[in-house]
Coordinates of all heavy atoms in Angstrom, one line a residue:
L25 N -25.0 8.2 13.7 CA -24.1 9.1 13.0 C -23.4 10.1 14.0 O -22.2 10.4 14.0 CB -24.6 9.9 11.9 CG -24.9 9.2 10.7 CD1 -25.9 9.8 9.7 CD2 -23.7 8.6 9.9
W26 N -24.2 10.5 14.9 CA -23.8 11.5 16.0 C -22.9 10.8 17.0 O -21.8 11.2 17.3 CB -24.9 12.2 16.7 CG -24.6 12.9 17.9 CD1 -23.9 14.1 18.0 CD2 -24.8 12.4 19.3 NE1 -23.8 14.4 19.4 CE2 -24.5 13.4 20.2 CE3 -25.6 11.3 19.7 CZ2 -24.5 13.3 21.5 CZ3 -25.7 11.2 21.2 CH2 -25.2 12.2 22.0
A27 N -23.3 9.6 17.4 CA -22.6 8.8 18.4 C -21.3 8.3 17.8 O -20.3 8.2 18.5 CB -23.4 7.6 18.9
A28 N -21.2 7.9 16.5 CA -20.0 7.4 15.9 C -19.1 8.6 15.5 O -18.1 8.4 14.8 CB -20.4 6.7 14.6
R29 N -19.5 9.8 15.8 CA -18.7 11.0 15.6 C -18.5 11.4 14.1 O -17.4 11.9 13.8 CB -17.3 10.9 16.4 CG -17.6 10.9 17.8 CD -16.2 10.8 18.6 NE -16.6 10.8 20.0 CZ -16.4 11.8 20.8 NH1 -16.2 13.0 20.3 NH2 -16.6 11.7 22.1
F30 N -19.4 11.1 13.3 CA -19.3 11.7 11.9 C -19.8 13.1 11.9 O -19.4 13.9 11.1 CB -20.3 10.9 11.0 CG -19.7 9.6 10.6 CD1 -20.0 8.4 11.4 CD2 -18.9 9.4 9.5 CE1 -19.5 7.2 11.1 CE2 -18.4 8.2 9.2 CZ -18.6 7.1 9.9
F31 N -20.6 13.5 12.9 CA -21.1 14.8 13.0 C -20.9 15.3 14.4 O -21.0 14.6 15.4 CB -22.6 15.0 12.6 CG -22.8 14.6 11.1 CD1 -23.2 13.4 10.7 CD2 -22.7 15.6 10.1 CE1 -23.4 13.1 9.4 CE2 -22.8 15.4 8.8 CZ -23.2 14.0 8.4
K32 N -20.7 16.7 14.6 CA -20.5 17.2 15.9 C -21.8 17.3 16.8 O -21.8 17.1 18.0 CB -20.0 18.7 15.7 CG -19.0 19.1 16.7 CD -18.5 20.5 16.3 CE -17.2 20.7 17.0 NZ -16.5 21.9 16.7
T33 N -22.9 17.5 16.1 CA -24.2 17.5 16.9 C -25.2 16.6 16.2 O -25.1 16.3 15.0 CB -24.7 19.0 16.8 OG1 -25.1 19.4 15.5 CG2 -23.8 20.0 17.5
R34 N -26.2 16.3 16.9 CA -27.2 15.3 16.3 C -28.1 16.2 15.3 O -28.6 15.6 14.3 CB -28.1 14.9 17.4 CG -29.1 13.9 16.9 CD -29.8 13.1 18.0 NE -31.0 12.5 17.5 CZ -32.0 12.1 18.2 NH1 -32.0 12.4 19.5 NH2 -33.0 11.6 17.7
G35 N -28.2 17.5 15.5 CA -29.0 18.3 14.6 C -28.3 18.3 13.3 O -28.9 18.3 12.2
L36 N -26.9 18.4 13.2 CA -26.2 18.3 11.9 C -26.4 17.0 11.2 O -26.5 16.9 10.0 CB -24.7 18.7 12.1 CG -24.3 20.1 12.5 CD1 -22.8 20.1 12.8 CD2 -24.7 21.0 11.4
A37 N -26.4 16.0 12.0 CA -26.6 14.6 11.5 C -28.0 14.5 10.9 O -28.3 14.0 9.8 CB -26.4 13.5 12.6
T38 N -29.0 15.0 11.6 CA -30.4 15.0 11.1 C -30.6 15.8 9.8 O -31.2 15.4 8.9 CB -31.3 15.6 12.1 OG1 -31.2 14.9 13.4 CG2 -32.8 15.5 11.7
D39 N -29.9 17.0 9.7 CA -29.9 17.8 8.5 C -29.3 17.1 7.3 O -29.8 17.2 6.2 CB -29.2 19.2 8.8 CG -30.0 20.1 9.8 OD1 -31.2 19.8 10.0 OD2 -29.3 21.0 10.3
A40 N -28.1 16.4 7.6 CA -27.5 15.6 6.5 C -28.4 14.6 6.0 O -28.4 14.2 4.8 CB -26.2 15.1 7.1
V41 N -29.0 13.9 6.9 CA -29.9 12.8 6.5 C -31.1 13.4 5.7 O -31.4 12.9 4.6 CB -30.5 11.9 7.7 CG1 -31.5 11.0 7.3 CG2 -29.3 11.3 8.4
A42 N -31.7 14.5 6.1 CA -32.8 15.1 5.4 C -32.4 15.7 4.0 O -33.2 15.8 3.2 CB -33.4 16.2 6.3
G43 N -31.2 16.1 4.0 CA -30.6 16.7 2.8 C -30.3 15.7 1.7 O -29.8 16.0 0.7
G44 N -30.3 14.4 2.1 CA -30.0 13.3 1.0 C -28.5 12.9 1.0 O -28.0 12.4 0.1
R45 N -27.8 13.3 2.1 CA -26.3 13.1 2.0 C -25.9 11.9 2.8 O -24.8 11.5 2.9 CB -25.6 14.3 2.5 CG -25.7 15.5 1.7 CD -24.8 16.7 2.1 NE -25.0 17.1 3.6 CZ -25.9 18.0 3.9 NH1 -26.6 18.6 3.1 NH2 -26.0 18.3 5.2
V46 N -27.0 11.1 3.2 CA -26.7 9.8 3.8 C -27.6 8.7 3.3 O -28.8 9.0 3.0 CB -27.1 10.0 5.4 CG1 -27.0 8.6 6.1 CG2 -26.2 11.0 6.0
H47 N -27.0 7.6 2.9 CA -27.7 6.4 2.4 C -27.3 5.3 3.2 O -26.2 5.0 3.6 CB -27.2 6.2 0.9 CG -27.6 7.3 0.0 ND1 -26.9 8.5 -0.2 CD2 -28.6 7.4 -0.9 CE1 -27.6 9.3 -1.0 NE2 -28.6 8.6 -1.5
V48 N -28.4 4.5 3.3 CA -28.1 3.1 4.2 C -28.4 2.0 3.1 O -29.6 1.9 2.6 CB -29.1 3.0 5.4 CG1 -29.0 1.7 6.0 CG2 -28.8 4.2 6.3
N49 N -27.6 1.2 3.0 CA -27.7 0.0 2.0 C -28.1 0.5 0.6 O -28.9 -0.1 -0.1 CB -28.6 -1.0 2.6 CG -28.2 -1.7 3.8 OD1 -27.0 -1.8 4.0 ND2 -29.2 -2.0 4.7
G50 N -27.5 1.7 0.2 CA -27.7 2.2 -1.1 C -29.0 3.0 -1.3 O -29.3 3.4 -2.4
A51 N -29.9 3.2 -0.3 CA -31.1 3.8 -0.4 C -31.1 5.1 0.4 O -30.6 5.1 1.6 CB -32.2 3.0 0.0
R52 N -31.6 6.2 -0.1 CA -31.9 7.4 0.7 C -32.9 7.2 1.9 O -33.8 6.6 1.6 CB -32.4 8.5 -0.3 CG -32.4 9.8 0.5 CD -32.8 10.9 -0.5 NE -33.1 12.1 0.2 CZ -33.3 13.3 -0.4 NH1 -33.4 13.4 -1.7 NH2 -33.6 14.4 0.4
V53 N -32.6 7.7 3.0 CA -33.3 7.3 4.2 C -33.8 8.6 5.0 O -33.3 9.7 4.7 CB -32.6 6.4 5.2 CG1 -32.4 5.1 4.6 CG2 -31.3 7.1 5.6
K54 N -34.8 8.4 5.8 CA -35.2 9.4 6.8 C -34.4 9.4 8.1 O -33.8 8.4 8.3 CB -36.7 9.4 7.0 CG -37.5 9.7 5.8 CD -39.0 9.6 6.1 CE -39.8 10.0 4.9 NZ -41.2 9.9 5.3
A55 N -34.5 10.4 8.9 CA -33.7 10.3 10.2 C -34.2 9.4 11.1 O -33.5 8.8 11.9 CB -33.8 11.7 10.9
S56 N -35.5 8.8 10.9 CA -36.0 7.8 11.8 C -35.6 6.4 11.4 O -35.9 5.4 12.1 CB -37.5 7.9 11.9 OG -38.0 7.7 10.6
K57 N -34.9 6.3 10.3 CA -34.5 4.9 9.8 C -33.6 4.2 10.8 O -32.7 4.8 11.3 CB -33.8 5.0 8.5 CG -33.1 3.7 8.0 CD -34.0 2.7 7.5 CE -33.2 1.5 7.1 NZ -33.9 0.3 6.9
E58 N -33.9 3.0 11.2 CA -33.1 2.3 12.2 C -31.9 1.5 11.4 O -32.2 0.9 10.4 CB -34.0 1.2 13.0 CG -34.9 1.9 14.0 CD -35.2 1.0 15.1 OE1 -34.9 -0.1 15.1 OE2 -35.8 1.6 16.0
V59 N -30.8 1.7 11.9 CA -29.6 1.1 11.4 C -29.2 -0.1 12.3 O -29.4 0.0 13.5 CB -28.4 2.1 11.2 CG1 -27.9 2.5 12.6 CG2 -27.3 1.6 10.5
R60 N -28.8 -1.2 11.6 CA -28.4 -2.5 12.4 C -27.1 -2.8 12.0 O -26.5 -2.3 11.0 CB -29.5 -3.5 12.0 CG -30.9 -3.3 12.4 CD -31.8 -4.3 11.9 NE -33.1 -4.3 12.5 CZ -34.0 -3.3 12.3 NH1 -33.8 -2.3 11.5 NH2 -35.2 -3.4 12.8
V61 N -26.6 -3.7 12.8 CA -25.1 -4.2 12.7 C -25.2 -4.9 11.3 O -26.0 -5.8 11.0 CB -24.7 -5.2 13.7 CG1 -23.4 -5.9 13.5 CG2 -24.7 -4.5 15.1
G62 N -24.2 -4.6 10.5 CA -24.0 -5.2 9.2 C -24.6 -4.3 8.0 O -24.2 -4.6 6.8
D63 N -25.2 -3.3 8.3 CA -25.7 -2.3 7.3 C -24.5 -1.5 6.7 O -23.5 -1.3 7.4 CB -26.7 -1.3 7.9 CG -28.1 -2.0 8.1 OD1 -28.3 -3.0 7.6 OD2 -28.9 -1.3 8.7
T64 N -24.6 -1.1 5.6 CA -23.7 -0.2 4.9 C -24.2 1.3 4.9 O -25.3 1.5 4.4 CB -23.4 -0.6 3.4 OG1 -23.0 -2.0 3.4 CG2 -22.3 0.3 2.8
V65 N -23.4 2.2 5.4 CA -23.9 3.6 5.5 C -22.8 4.4 4.7 O -21.6 4.2 4.8 CB -23.7 4.1 7.0 CG1 -24.2 5.6 7.1 CG2 -24.8 3.3 7.9
E66 N -23.5 5.2 3.7 CA -22.7 6.0 2.9 C -22.9 7.6 3.3 O -24.1 7.9 3.2 CB -23.0 5.9 1.5 CG -22.1 6.6 0.5 CD -22.4 6.2 -1.0 OE1 -23.0 5.2 -1.1 OE2 -22.1 7.1 -1.8
T67 N -22.0 8.2 3.7 CA -22.1 9.7 4.0 C -21.3 10.6 3.1 O -20.2 10.3 2.7 CB -21.7 9.9 5.5 OG1 -20.4 9.7 5.6 CG2 -22.6 9.2 6.4
T68 N -21.8 11.7 2.9 CA -21.1 12.7 2.1 C -21.1 14.0 3.0 O -22.1 14.7 3.3 CB -21.7 13.1 0.7 OG1 -21.9 11.8 0.1 CG2 -20.9 14.1 -0.1
I69 N -19.8 14.4 3.4 CA -19.6 15.5 4.2 C -18.7 16.5 3.4 O -17.6 16.2 3.2 CB -19.0 15.2 5.5 CG1 -19.9 14.2 6.3 CG2 -18.8 16.5 6.4 CD1 -19.2 13.6 7.4

């Protein structure tokens, strides 16, 4: 999320994931979740 420029800092990206504003393939995830090519990521900013 940080590298793709959804968030300005990695800390903000981590906080968004911990706050439940990021879902991968429809499921709430932790910051350590590995994302792969083909996954669907839903973010709320």
